Structure formats: C-alpha cells, structure tokens
Amino acid sequence: MSTHSSSQRYLSTRGGSYGFSFEDVVLKGLADDGGLFIPEEIPSIPDDWSALWPNWSFKELACHIFSLYISPDEIPSEDLAQIVEQSYSTFRAPEITPLVTLDENNDLHLLELFHGPTFAFKDVALQFLGNLFEYFLTRRNSSKRGKDRQHLTVIGATSGDTGSAAIYGLRGKKDVSVFMMHPRGKISPVQEAQMTTVLDENVHNLAVEGTFDDCQDLVKALFQDPDINQTHRLAAVNSINWARILAQITYYFHAYSSLLKSGRYVPGSKVRFVVPTGNFGDILAGYFAKQMGLPVEKLVVATNENDILHRFWSTGYYEKRPVHGQVANGGHVEDGVKAHESGVRETLSPAMDILVSSNFERLLWFLAFRVYARNSSSEDRRTAGEKVKVWLQDLKEQGGFGVDSAVLQAAREDFESERISDADTAKTIRAVYDYPSPAAKHDASFGTEGTKIRGGYILDPHSAVGIAASRRSMARTPTPRTHHISLATAHPAKFSTAVEKALADDENFRFQELLPEQFKGLEDLPRRVQSIGKEHSFEDVRTMIHTKVAPR
C-alpha cells in the first residue's frame, strides 16, 4: 500500500495483524488475533486549520477529517463527499450536532448529539457505517450475479441505542443481513420498540438472557469462530468497528468551532470535553481529536456506578470486582434495569451499564506505545501489542490487571474521571430543568421536539451523568477561562421512568409533552424478535445465522 500514509494503514492492538486498508478494517471489524484495529499513526491537522476549519460545515469537516484516515485510492474524494452527504441528510438539525449553552456564568455547554433518525449519538457513526458497507459491497458486486455476489452478515450487541441506530442504518440494504443482540428486559421500552418494530427481511433482533457484556462476548466469539467464518463474511457495527470511532471525531472539531463562533470564547481559554462513558468509544474519538491537535485541556470520563474506568484512573488497576445481590439494585425495571448476578450494577443510565469497556483496549495500545517505544519503529508497535495482549489475557483469566505508574501517568495527562451515582443523576436532571438556561429558550428550531418544556431543559439520564461530572470538573477549574462541553447522548423521551422520577414533585410536568412525533404509537406496532437462552446461546445464534443467511 505505497499510496497509503501511515494514518491510512491499520494494525491490530494485540500485535498479530498489520498492513490493513480502511476497507479491510471496516469489513472485518475485529482482527484475527482478537484485537481491535487502529491506524499505525494518528495524523496531525494542518498548521492553518484554525484559520480554515472553524468556518466549515459539519459535512465539510467530516470529509477533511475522514480523508486523513482513508486513502483516495480506496474512496475518491468525490465519492467520500457523497457518502457524507447521504449519511447526514437524515438529521433534523441543520448543524447536525448543535452546541447550546446551559450555564452562561460558568461556561457550561451541551453538545446535542440526538438529532439523527433514532434520537441518539450512535446515529452519527452508524448512518456513515451503513453507507460505507453499501459502497464497498456495490463496488465488489458490480459485475457479479447470484451466489457469486458477496454478502455481509453484520453482527452487533447493544445496551440500547446501538441496536436501533445500526438497524436504521442497514435496513433494506442489498447484500447485507444484520443480527442485533440485546439483553432481554434490560433496555428501555422505546429502545426495544425502535429495534423490534423494524420488519425488513434483512433485520434480525435477538433478545439474549443475560447482560450487555454477555451479548458483547457472543459477538467476539462469533468473529473468532472458524466454522461461521468459513461460511459467512462477518462484519461488526459495534464500536469495535474502527469506522464508528472515526465518524465521531468530527463532532469534537465541530463543537470547538461552534464555541469559537459563539462569541463566548476568549483567546487563551481552556476547553474540556466531558463524556458519559460506557464502552469508551465516544470519548476515544475525543482522544483522537486531541492527539490530532485539537486544543483540548482534558477529556473527562463520566461513569455511572459501573465505575471500572473511574477506578482505573484512580488506582492504575483495571478490575471487574463483581457486585452481587441487593447491592446491584438501583435503577428502574420499567427503563430496562434489573440487578444481575454477573456484577453489573444496573442504574438509571442503562446504556452505560457495562462491566468491560471494549474500546479501552485501543487507548491501552497508545499508552503502551507512548511509554515503551524507543524510536517509533515496527518493533515498538509489536511491543505495544504484546503489552496489550498480556493485559487482556490477565483480564480474561484473573478478572483484572494493573499497569506501571508511567502508563497511569500517561493516561492522566489527557484524561480525568468522575463516578456519578443514581442519586446525583436524578438531582442533576431536576437542577437543569429548574435552571433558566439559554438552551431552554430554544424551541424546536433544531428540528427535534421534547427537550424544552416551559422554560426548563430536560436531560436524559446519560447526559445528566455528563453534566454532573462537568459540575465537579468546574469546581477544580474555576471560570472564567475554562469552557466545559458535555456530550448529550440521547433524547430524554427514551428513558421515561428516570426522567419522571427526577421531576416527580413538579405537578406541572407531563412526560407526554416530551414525546417527539416519531415516538407516538411506536410501542403498539407489530414486532419481530427471537429469544436466546443463556445455556446454549452461542450455538443458538450461530445456528440462526446459518438458517437465515445462505453460505458464501
């Protein structure tokens, strides 16, 4: 691949796969050695970016950022622009991801990421990924007929929003089948309805007995199973797919540009991004933006009570530490939460109820490379891969691992972390609703109804975790001169019980006022979903794929 720059060639985090193209990693999803794909090198933004990029639209920024990671030999610039246009024409907000101000006095802003088809931040990446699948398959099948055509079997696991976003991005697409697994009874009714009411023939919903981690383990097991990989071409839509991370880099640059244009930014000010974090994909995109040159002081990891990431930044140990029985209670069954014996503490923010964050592996590789590299050679990359491989093996066999103090120090250079309880989540929803913020003065001008009621702004519980963490970060970094941009990851109507609990003592609040038109009547539509028991789950899913999709 002599025409590819180092940022357009990809390797595995575990050191066993090198020299992959962008098309390779998008269609493979997971490396053969079980690792995740990353670029050989993170590119730097041009020296003149600050004069040009802030004036570009979201779509223009996306094209320029993507081109740093995708060779024009793989996707010509004209085709890339068309894919970007197609991906984001489905969004209700002209700005795609608008930035609004919650607290003018303390420079607290909210990046609204829920203006896509399924009202969640996952749409930003999965609309793009669905169109990439279609682009590559159309090119590969242009002169083929019948059994000679390549067919993609997309496998995914969801804790709520990935499923509907992936399904909406892939429904009806030719030469693609999608199998989406969710933990039965552990996602909200709206999330479940968004997935299971899609009746397109190429969409298959699987309700798995267990947790999201069980679903995610099934996905990884399928990718490493020689039987299914001999007969079917598997692809990933979870954030283990590199294209998911790439797509999300754009909104960090767009948010910074929006802040510069808002008139509130003073030269020399600092900027922090605060990210509600479960599987670590969203904040990892922020890490890539920061390493590319975006002037971000810190990225703040905001976890709920499933705090494995917060404990890592506090101690240098990444450990599961199972929790059992009543201690794991805390959320609302009506919103898809229920205590589970695996140790996942199920909370008001169920999409973040994850025991092991898959994308953390990508950060570990870059930390290992930074600490242990000698001269940025191929041998140094292998060394980093070996470090990650050992850490992940310890996680699998011993339930956790620790890192050297130099690795922890490297992690703390770019990140801080906060753990937010359910009680603080509910208090934050109420506090933001009561506060007369500028954001609440907007009507549905961004094209999405239901986040502002009678002068109050309504947060979903995941976004509330981010705002609560922002408040703590603000206490450490007094304004003026420090702006906090917290990511709003979903529309509040997707989590009715958490919002109603937080606002229960407001006699004027009516949850029905939050519902966008697209949600009304959704739960009454016909559904199609297959139950998967826990005992033989892997064999059952593999058999279903063989039954529903003809072998290649």
Side-chain angles (χ1 to χ4, degrees):
M1 294 191 297
S2 59
T3 60
H4 290 54
S5 68
S6 56
S7 65
Q8 296 167 343
R9 297 189 301 267
Y10 295 84
L11 55 83
S12 167
T13 51
R14 300 191 191 180
S17 301
Y18 294 87
F20 285 91
S21 68
F22 179 73
E23 181 174 353
D24 289 335
V25 302
V26 168
L27 296 181
K28 282 180 69 68
L30 195 68
D32 292 337
D33 62 1
L36 307 184
F37 289 114
I38 52 174
E40 288 183 7
E41 184 176 287
I42 298 177
S44 298
I45 52 181
D47 292 338
D48 61 354
W49 79 275
S50 60
L52 299 174
W53 288 28
N55 300 314
W56 290 343
S57 68
F58 183 96
K59 296 174 185 177
E60 290 171 326
L61 277 171
C63 286
H64 281 81
I65 291 168
F66 297 169
S67 68
L68 297 176
Y69 294 91
I70 307 170
S71 169
D73 285 355
E74 293 192 69
I75 305 180
S77 56
E78 297 83 359
D79 291 356
L80 184 59
Q82 187 174 355
I83 292 171
V84 168
E85 176 63 35
Q86 184 180 357
S87 299
Y88 301 119
S89 63
T90 58
F91 281 63
R92 294 174 297 279
E95 295 181 46
I96 313 301
T97 58
L99 184 72
V100 299
T101 298
L102 278 183
D103 185 343
E104 289 179 311
N105 295 328
N106 292 295
D107 293 323
L108 174 59
H109 315 280
L110 195 68
L111 184 60
E112 294 185 340
L113 302 176
F114 49 74
H115 295 282
T118 70
F119 295 76
F121 81 97
K122 308 287 179 76
D123 289 318
V124 176
L126 284 163
Q127 286 291 304
F128 176 60
L129 181 57
N131 288 319
L132 283 175
F133 284 155
E134 186 173 50
Y135 177 83
F136 291 137
L137 286 174
T138 298
R139 185 165 65 189
R140 291 181 174 211
N141 290 331
S142 62
S143 60
K144 297 177 181 177
R145 298 290 182 269
K147 290 186 177 181
D148 292 334
R149 295 180 67 84
Q150 291 193 23
H151 188 95
L152 212 56
T153 302
V154 175
I155 310 293
T158 182
S159 57
D161 288 328
T162 290
S164 56
I167 287 168
Y168 278 56
L170 294 170
R171 61 187 301 181
K173 290 196 181 294
K174 196 172 184 178
D175 300 315
V176 177
S177 297
V178 56
F179 292 81
M180 184 57 60
M181 291 171 267
H182 69 270
R184 182 164 56 200
K186 296 179 177 63
I187 60 176
S188 77
V190 169
Q191 291 172 319
E192 183 177 343
Q194 282 185 309
M195 291 191 294
T196 59
T197 58
V198 176
L199 304 180
D200 297 63
E201 290 184 3
N202 71 324
V203 173
H204 308 279
N205 280 288
L206 311 179
V208 176
E209 186 66 38
T211 67
F212 169 74
D213 291 274
D214 295 322
C215 297
Q216 193 159 244
D217 287 344
L218 283 173
V219 171
K220 292 179 179 179
L222 286 164
F223 273 96
Q224 294 180 286
D225 178 56
D227 172 67
I228 196 72
N229 281 279
Q230 267 193 335
T231 57
H232 294 74
R233 185 182 188 102
L234 302 187
V237 289
N238 281 82
S239 53
I240 60 175
N241 193 307
W242 161 248
R244 286 275 305 271
I245 309 302
L246 173 58
Q248 293 171 170
I249 295 172
T250 303
Y251 51 67
Y252 285 90
F253 281 94
H254 188 254
Y256 188 87
S257 298
S258 297
L259 179 61
L260 292 184
K261 291 184 288 188
S262 69
R264 297 195 54 78
Y265 181 85
V266 177
S269 297
K270 298 175 181 178
V271 177
R272 290 182 162 216
F273 281 91
V274 186
V275 187
T277 304
N279 218 20
F280 206 74
D282 205 3
I283 198 165
L284 183 70
Y287 174 78
F288 273 87
K290 189 175 189 295
Q291 297 304 306
M292 290 170 67
L294 187 67
V296 178
E297 188 211 11
K298 290 287 185 183
L299 296 158
V300 181
V301 178
T303 78
N304 62 16
E305 294 174 16
N306 295 289
D307 60 353
I308 187 171
L309 291 166
H310 176 61
R311 285 187 280 108
F312 171 81
W313 263 275
S314 300
T315 68
Y317 288 90
Y318 189 75
E319 298 173 321
K320 295 180 181 180
R321 295 185 186 273
V323 178
H324 300 284
Q326 290 299 311
V327 183
N329 288 323
H332 292 276
V333 173
E334 295 88 344
D335 276 348
V337 300
K338 183 181 175 184
H340 195 274
E341 63 183 10
S342 71
V344 176
R345 186 188 294 262
E346 305 195 32
T347 70
L348 292 177
S349 46
M352 295 160 59
D353 292 344
I354 296 171
L355 198 62
V356 176
S357 303
S358 288
N359 277 291
F360 188 56
E361 179 173 339
R362 285 183 162 117
L363 177 66
L364 286 172
W365 189 95
F366 284 104
L367 295 176
F369 186 76
R370 184 192 303 187
V371 171
Y372 301 114
R374 296 293 176 263
N375 53 18
S376 299
S377 65
S378 297
E379 187 59 36
D380 288 329
R381 294 188 178 101
R382 290 189 180 90
T383 298
E386 284 300 316
K387 287 285 186 182
V388 171
K389 186 176 179 180
V390 170
W391 287 331
L392 270 293
Q393 194 65 30
D394 286 347
L395 178 65
K396 181 179 180 179
E397 295 177 355
Q398 302 174 28
F401 61 87
V403 298
D404 294 340
S405 59
V407 175
L408 179 59
Q409 181 58 39
R412 288 174 172 170
E413 288 177 13
D414 295 309
F415 296 89
E416 292 181 359
S417 68
E418 292 289 349
R419 176 192 187 272
I420 306 301
S421 68
D422 268 358
D424 284 341
T425 300
K427 288 177 184 177
T428 301
I429 293 173
R430 181 60 201 240
V432 170
Y433 175 68
D434 287 339
Y435 186 78
S437 68
K441 297 175 184 177
H442 291 287
D443 53 18
S445 59
F446 291 133
T448 299
E449 304 168 313
T451 57
K452 300 100 179 174
I453 297 178
R454 288 181 295 281
Y457 192 98
I458 313 290
L459 294 171
D460 92 283
H462 307 80
S463 305
V465 168
I467 292 298
S470 298
R471 294 289 187 190
R472 294 183 188 176
S473 174
M474 287 158 56
R476 296 192 298 273
T477 55
T479 55
R481 300 291 89 87
T482 301
H483 290 265
H484 284 77
I485 299 176
S486 189
L487 275 55
T489 56
H491 192 284
K494 302 186 91 169
F495 303 95
S496 59
T497 307
V499 174
E500 287 182 315
K501 174 182 173 61
L503 303 179
D505 60 352
D506 186 336
E507 60 183 22
N508 295 316
F509 175 74
R510 299 290 182 273
F511 186 79
Q512 290 299 315
E513 296 180 65
L514 282 183
L515 289 179
E517 192 63 36
Q518 294 90 330
F519 285 11
K520 295 174 182 176
L522 182 64
E523 294 182 39
D524 299 324
L525 295 176
R527 304 186 183 207
R528 190 175 75 240
V529 59
Q530 178 72 42
S531 294
I532 300 294
K534 191 168 186 178
E535 187 174 353
H536 304 293
S537 55
F538 174 75
E539 292 80 6
D540 290 345
V541 174
R542 185 172 61 181
T543 299
M544 181 173 294
I545 294 171
H546 279 300
T547 301
K548 299 290 185 181
V549 183
R552 57 182 178 182

